[in-house]
Amino acid sequence: MDVVNVLIQEKPVVIFSKSSCCMSHSVETLIRGFGANPTVYDLDRIPNGQQIERALMQLGFRESVPAVFIGQQLVGNERNVMSLHIQNQLVPLLIQAGAIWI
């Protein structure tokens, strides 16, 4: 868990992804579309990717990637992000986290 906390610290938006995951790319594109610049970690391309996956599971994240953190809080996967977007809650969350400014 500490490895995840270190990676999300002081970053408004973090996406844990895999390079071949189209849903991760879609979530990243959506968030970038609002003007945010998420930090993306492709777990299949970094040396401690498997360790991070295990740490995400310890945090209660049972889904496959993407694992999205906004404001250092686990938002969830693509379904959770899309649900927030549909409910007009994603942009306010990004603003509150300091990821975008209006």
Side-chain angles (χ1 to χ4, degrees):
M1 290 190 299
D2 289 338
V3 67
V4 171
N5 289 330
V6 168
L7 293 172
I8 66 171
Q9 194 173 44
E10 297 181 23
K11 295 181 179 92
V13 181
V14 175
I15 301 171
F16 292 98
S17 174
K18 290 192 178 175
S19 60
S20 61
C21 178
C22 64
M23 293 313 294
S24 295
H25 177 73
S26 296
V27 167
E28 179 184 351
T29 301
L30 174 68
I31 291 172
R32 286 188 190 279
F34 294 117
N37 188 22
T39 301
V40 179
Y41 296 104
D42 284 328
L43 299 180
D44 57 337
R45 292 191 172 168
I46 59 176
N48 60 342
Q50 290 180 338
Q51 177 188 6
I52 294 168
E53 279 188 276
R54 285 191 298 273
L56 288 169
M57 284 188 223
Q58 289 176 352
L59 288 172
F61 192 76
R62 301 282 181 239
E63 303 292 324
S64 60
V65 293
V68 180
F69 287 79
I70 300 176
Q72 293 79 42
Q73 298 298 315
L74 178 61
V75 172
N77 62 13
E78 74 280 352
R79 284 179 251 136
N80 301 104
V81 173
M82 293 306 288
S83 178
L84 287 170
H85 176 51
I86 290 168
Q87 296 170 21
N88 293 317
Q89 295 176 352
L90 182 58
V91 169
L93 198 56
L94 292 170
I95 292 169
Q96 183 180 4
I100 59 176
W101 299 267
I102 294 187

